[in-house]
Amino acid sequence: MSGLVVVDSRTDWPLQIPGMHVMTAWDYLTLTPEVLQRNIRVYNLCRSFSYQSTGYYVSLLAGARGHRPLPDITTIQDLKLAESPGVLNDEIDELIQSSLARLGSSEYVLNVYFGQSPTKRHERLARALFNLFPAPLVQACFEYKGDEWRVQSIGPIALGEVPGSHLEFMHQAARDYFTRRRMPRQKKDSYRYDLAILVNEDEKDPPSNARALKLFEKAAEDLGFQVDFLDKGDYGHVAEFDALFIRETTAVNHHTYRFARRAEREGLVVVDDPKSILRAANKVFLSELMDRHRIPQPKTMLIHRGNVKQIAKELGFPCVLKQPDSQFSRGVIKVDNEAELKREVRELLERSDIVIGQSFEPTDYDWRVGVLDGVPLYACRYYMAKDHWQVVKHGSNGGKIEGNHDTLPIEEVPALVRNVAVQAAKAVGSALYGVDLKQFGNVVKVVEVNDNPNIDFGVEDLVLKDTLYRKIMEYFVRRLEARVKN
């Protein structure tokens, strides 16, 4: 049995789908929990999810029994909140405007069945709503006010409220959902846990290349994981797993953060966890954090509109300006004089009320120490790109030139570099980080701490090879086993 469809009456669900068993809500609630295996998927299609109703208790007890309900109790509560429409982020709001743009009325009702819409033009909007509120049947009511569409309400649809003209479509959407490639399935006897790895096949600079991802998959399977690779369209499936490993570049205003938040909320072991994403994504936060923990860093100043005139005096020339959420050497600018400083600061402050300024401290290379759960794991030296002051030189045509690199056994890294890297990583959290440092003889300074560090085949794994991937997967096993013991 792959999954369980729970309904108020067997006549509510006439479909016969291989691997899916139909059960009434009352039968499910009165079952001895041991009768059904753990981790089974429970699709709750009850007629009501109101507080303490039968449908409410199906999702509530499914979570308590170690089953995987859709919707889960958190989604049910989210859909009930009056402010639920307010959680729709800017990305979804733009999709709403484009999807509903050509409607002639001032109101519109969109029914979403297992992430699909009967109206083809609303398919992307339906999927986005399902990703935010993973429930089999959802209804969103929109209203045109002023010059834009707004969500008036969003909530679950009872089976009995599905229009007759939609039944055939709804049944087909259910078949598609249950039989899709990543349909929840019974674990093989050799697998103890389910691991999801979030990737983006279209990303130009992913944190792990294809060979590395295959090695992560193999290491995980060797340790008892069944592995699925997810993309951003699979948000509704997060709760079906025991652990989530994010191998797509993370950002706060981004689906990677929403995946991390949902995974944490559902009790998954997740790397990168949302706290790490929030902390490492912002260099303003990191600067203050390093300062509080007395971890050395280049001379740093928080720049705002009120202290622009003090920058040159504080940092001198050349100095470095950083957009708080800069990545891959983008948004990091070296300025050599007052004119450049004024121009670049003005542009940066248009995007953020605070930016980072640092003294320019050139070195031939930057250290990168990978730290996992407070333990140094690997170390690389990333050399500056030829005739450039950064590791990566970005061209105006979108191309890039990267400096050389070498990877060292962690025991050959100077003790001070290792120690400072561990201190910086522990200040951020207890997961997986890449700590960038500069060394000047006996002086070591932290440049930044990265969540979601690069782990590529042929670079970071040159010393540990397959052992690197196994050690990272062992972290997930330890965390999962610790939860079982507790």
Side-chain angles (χ1 to χ4, degrees):
M1 181 168 57
S2 297
L4 187 64
V5 177
V6 178
V7 291
D8 288 303
S9 171
R10 287 184 180 273
T11 58
D12 289 344
W13 195 254
L15 293 186
Q16 296 296 321
I17 300 175
M20 303 303 298
H21 184 73
V22 180
M23 180 179 288
T24 67
W26 191 246
D27 285 344
Y28 178 77
L29 293 176
T30 55
L31 272 177
T32 303
E34 290 75 18
V35 172
L36 292 174
Q37 66 201 51
R38 289 192 63 186
N39 293 309
I40 195 169
R41 308 339 184 187
V42 175
Y43 299 94
N44 185 354
L45 297 178
C46 290
R47 296 169 185 167
S48 172
F49 297 134
S50 61
Y51 183 60
Q52 296 190 343
S53 66
T54 304
Y56 180 89
Y57 277 116
V58 166
S59 287
L60 185 69
L61 294 190
R65 291 172 175 176
H67 299 164
R68 304 292 182 83
L70 184 78
D72 60 31
I73 199 66
T74 305
T75 299
I76 289 174
Q77 287 302 113
D78 286 348
L79 284 167
K80 287 179 186 176
L81 295 174
E83 62 267 27
S84 283
V87 309
L88 300 179
N89 52 66
D90 291 340
E91 177 185 342
I92 303 299
D93 184 63
E94 291 176 7
L95 195 52
I96 290 170
Q97 306 310 320
S98 61
S99 186
L100 306 181
R102 296 191 297 274
L103 295 179
S105 63
S106 60
E107 296 181 345
Y108 187 74
V109 176
L110 175 64
N111 286 358
V112 180
Y113 306 115
F114 294 91
Q116 297 188 45
S117 165
T119 306
K120 189 172 181 62
R121 63 178 290 193
H122 300 318
E123 283 180 347
R124 291 181 60 215
L125 178 56
R127 169 58 62 179
L129 290 170
F130 178 76
N131 284 342
L132 281 174
F133 301 101
L137 312 179
V138 174
Q139 184 176 85
C141 299
F142 301 91
E143 185 177 18
Y144 192 77
K145 282 189 173 182
D147 58 353
E148 61 183 358
W149 286 94
R150 287 294 176 197
V151 179
Q152 189 176 31
S153 64
I154 186 165
I157 316 170
L159 267 176
E161 296 174 354
V162 176
S165 59
H166 286 185
L167 285 175
E168 184 177 347
F169 178 88
M170 186 263 288
H171 290 159
Q172 186 57 50
R175 289 189 188 94
D176 293 344
Y177 186 85
F178 292 147
T179 56
R180 63 188 304 221
R181 180 179 67 83
R182 295 192 184 104
M183 187 193 78
R185 59 199 172 178
Q186 182 176 348
K187 291 186 182 71
K188 297 177 182 177
D189 292 341
S190 58
Y191 292 128
R192 293 186 291 164
Y193 303 113
D194 281 319
L195 171 69
I197 302 180
L198 180 65
V199 296
N200 179 355
E201 294 181 355
D202 297 324
E203 188 172 10
K204 290 183 179 179
D205 297 302
S208 288
N209 55 25
R211 291 284 298 277
L213 291 175
K214 294 300 290 184
L215 289 167
F216 274 125
E217 181 181 22
K218 182 181 184 302
E221 289 177 345
D222 289 346
L223 289 169
F225 284 101
Q226 185 164 280
V227 180
D228 262 325
F229 287 94
L230 307 187
D231 60 31
K232 69 177 182 179
D234 293 307
Y235 181 85
H237 292 272
V238 170
E240 298 167 3
F241 296 87
D242 301 297
L244 172 67
F245 187 32
I246 299 178
R247 287 284 85 193
E248 176 181 1
T249 302
T250 56
V252 175
N253 294 322
H254 195 248
H255 65 266
T256 49
Y257 178 74
R258 294 196 292 276
F259 267 78
R261 282 283 296 127
R262 179 162 179 79
E264 185 178 68
R265 190 176 69 187
E266 297 294 344
L268 280 69
V269 175
V270 55
V271 175
D272 307 301
D273 62 277
K275 182 174 74 173
S276 293
I277 295 173
L278 278 172
R279 290 181 169 185
N282 193 290
K283 291 175 174 55
V284 172
F285 177 90
L286 285 176
S287 172
E288 292 290 292
L289 187 69
M290 296 300 106
D291 189 54
R292 179 164 68 87
H293 286 270
R294 298 181 180 177
I295 297 170
Q297 59 183 329
K299 187 173 184 180
T300 301
M301 147 180 210
L302 301 188
I303 298 170
H304 49 80
R305 287 178 173 81
N307 67 355
V308 172
K309 293 181 179 179
Q310 281 80 54
I311 300 173
K313 180 180 178 182
E314 287 287 324
L315 302 178
F317 292 112
C319 63
V320 178
L321 305 176
K322 297 183 178 182
Q323 186 176 311
D325 57 355
S326 56
Q327 294 177 322
F328 306 120
S329 301
R330 298 187 186 95
V332 181
I333 304 155
K334 179 165 73 78
V335 295
D336 295 311
N337 53 59
E338 192 75 42
E340 287 182 8
L341 176 67
K342 289 181 179 179
R343 182 179 67 251
E344 298 295 349
V345 166
R346 183 169 58 249
E347 291 185 8
L348 287 171
L349 287 175
E350 287 177 359
R351 296 192 291 271
S352 174
D353 286 340
I354 299 177
V355 298
I356 289 289
Q358 286 186 328
S359 58
F360 177 59
E361 301 185 9
T363 53
D364 292 335
Y365 60 84
D366 285 349
W367 283 105
R368 162 68 65 85
V369 178
V371 180
L372 176 63
D373 200 17
V375 177
L377 194 58
Y378 63 88
C380 297
R381 287 185 294 216
Y382 298 143
Y383 291 83
M384 303 304 152
K386 185 178 180 180
D387 300 323
H388 192 57
W389 61 281
Q390 292 173 291
V391 170
V392 180
K393 182 179 181 180
H394 295 281
S396 57
N397 60 354
K400 66 177 182 178
I401 299 172
E402 296 185 58
N404 294 325
H405 60 81
D406 54 26
T407 305
L408 286 75
I410 196 68
E411 59 271 15
E412 293 184 13
V413 176
L416 183 58
V417 172
R418 295 200 308 266
N419 293 339
V420 173
V422 168
Q423 291 174 39
K426 284 184 174 180
V428 175
S430 59
L432 176 64
Y433 309 100
V435 184
D436 293 344
L437 312 100
K438 287 185 177 293
Q439 182 182 13
F440 314 87
N442 293 325
V443 176
V444 174
K445 298 181 180 181
V446 172
V447 177
E448 61 188 35
V449 181
N450 303 276
D451 70 304
N452 199 245
N454 276 66
I455 298 176
D456 280 319
F457 174 82
V459 183
E460 288 78 13
D461 66 355
L462 280 176
V463 172
L464 291 178
K465 301 189 182 303
D466 292 357
T467 303
L468 175 60
Y469 304 96
R470 185 178 180 90
K471 283 179 176 289
I472 293 171
M473 289 300 106
E474 285 174 344
Y475 171 81
F476 286 96
V477 174
R478 289 197 304 272
R479 294 283 304 276
L480 287 165
E481 289 179 344
R483 291 186 177 190
V484 171
K485 291 177 183 178
N486 293 333

